Amino acid sequence: MKNNIISRMNELNKKSILSIDAETNGLWGQAFSISALLYDAEGTQIAEFIGRCPIEEEINPWVAENCLPKMVDIPENYVSYKDMLKDFFDFLQQYKDAVVSSHMGHIVESKLLHDAHDMGIIGDWDAPYLWYDVCLFFDDSTNKYCQENGIDIGEENTHNPVYDCKSAYKAFKHFINTQN
């Protein structure tokens, strides 16, 4: 079994990886920012999607304190969640052969799929397949893993979707490369 897992990781390491992250208004709220960074097999970032829209509900106090201050460098470039979601899925469609990854995506990022489907943005078979959640490999955050392993991801800025994409991608790539 271990050899099969290592073999699969080696295959993933040869592919482009699209790291995605979203910030939501509370853990179960609507996304107000989405980031997707595409890396080629050598680890060079080759494309990106960065979107932000107004928060359409009352702002969650935790979000106001922990997320919004870390996102001042991401302007609101969409007028609505639906517009941002449509462009995000158009971006994903361009890179449908890339491996899609997230960190703890089973809660936040998976909601993007449901919302896009419910809004008619994607059809029944248009979601990324397969989608890898890198939390499987880490006992704690990818940010902590990067710190413990001397992996540079720039100035710490968790709860900023661009930073979180970088952290998840670099931790995942480092982990894969250290398993042989």
Side-chain angles (χ1 to χ4, degrees), residues 4-5 7-13 15-21 96-106 109-110 113 128-138 142 168-169 172 176:
N4 289 340
I5 293 170
S7 175
R8 182 67 185 140
M9 283 194 266
N10 286 333
E11 287 301 312
L12 291 175
N13 208 19
K15 297 183 177 193
S16 295
I17 296 177
L18 185 62
S19 181
I20 65 172
D21 187 77
K96 63 183 176 182
D97 293 332
V99 172
V100 175
S101 70
S102 65
H103 181 254
M104 302 298 291
H106 62 283
E109 288 77 22
S110 67
L113 303 173
Y129 182 85
L130 291 168
W131 180 320
Y132 293 88
D133 197 325
V134 301
C135 71
L136 173 67
F137 305 109
F138 307 106
T142 57
Y169 168 77
F172 183 52
I176 289 173

Side-chain angles (χ1 to χ4, degrees), residues 5-176:
I5 293 170
I6 290 173
S7 175
R8 182 67 185 140
M9 283 194 266
N10 286 333
E11 287 301 312
L12 291 175
N13 208 19
K14 297 174 187 172
K15 297 183 177 193
S16 295
I17 296 177
L18 185 62
S19 181
I20 65 172
D21 187 77
E23 299 302 325
T24 55
N25 190 27
L27 193 56
W28 304 102
Q30 182 174 289
F32 61 91
S33 188
I34 304 170
S35 178
L37 306 180
L38 179 66
Y39 295 88
D40 66 18
E42 287 75 42
T44 301
Q45 184 185 325
I46 56 175
E48 69 181 17
F49 174 90
I50 301 170
R52 184 171 175 185
C53 66
I55 297 175
E56 297 174 0
E57 311 100 1
E58 181 179 334
I59 298 175
N60 177 288
W62 189 92
V63 170
E65 182 179 331
N66 295 285
C67 296
L68 295 179
K70 298 186 176 190
M71 296 179 58
V72 294
D73 61 333
I74 302 175
E76 287 184 358
N77 52 355
Y78 288 92
V79 295
S80 73
Y81 175 57
K82 185 174 184 177
D83 290 343
M84 179 177 67
L85 205 56
K86 181 181 182 326
D87 281 359
F88 171 67
F89 278 94
D90 287 346
F91 177 84
L92 282 181
Q93 187 63 26
Q94 293 176 53
Y95 305 105
K96 63 183 176 182
D97 293 332
V99 172
V100 175
S101 70
S102 65
H103 181 254
M104 302 298 291
H106 62 283
I107 298 172
V108 173
E109 288 77 22
S110 67
K111 187 175 182 311
L112 301 174
L113 303 173
H114 292 279
D115 289 350
H117 186 266
D118 289 349
M119 292 177 186
I121 294 169
I122 61 172
D124 289 347
W125 307 106
D126 296 331
Y129 182 85
L130 291 168
W131 180 320
Y132 293 88
D133 197 325
V134 301
C135 71
L136 173 67
F137 305 109
F138 307 106
D139 293 333
D140 206 330
S141 72
T142 57
N143 185 51
K144 184 175 179 184
Y145 179 90
C146 288
Q147 289 171 346
E148 290 173 351
N149 289 281
I151 301 167
D152 180 30
I153 39 180
E155 184 178 337
E156 183 176 346
N157 200 14
T158 58
H159 305 301
N160 174 310
V162 176
Y163 177 88
D164 291 345
C165 280
K166 289 177 185 177
S167 175
Y169 168 77
K170 289 187 175 193
F172 183 52
K173 194 75 166 175
H174 181 270
F175 181 81
I176 289 173

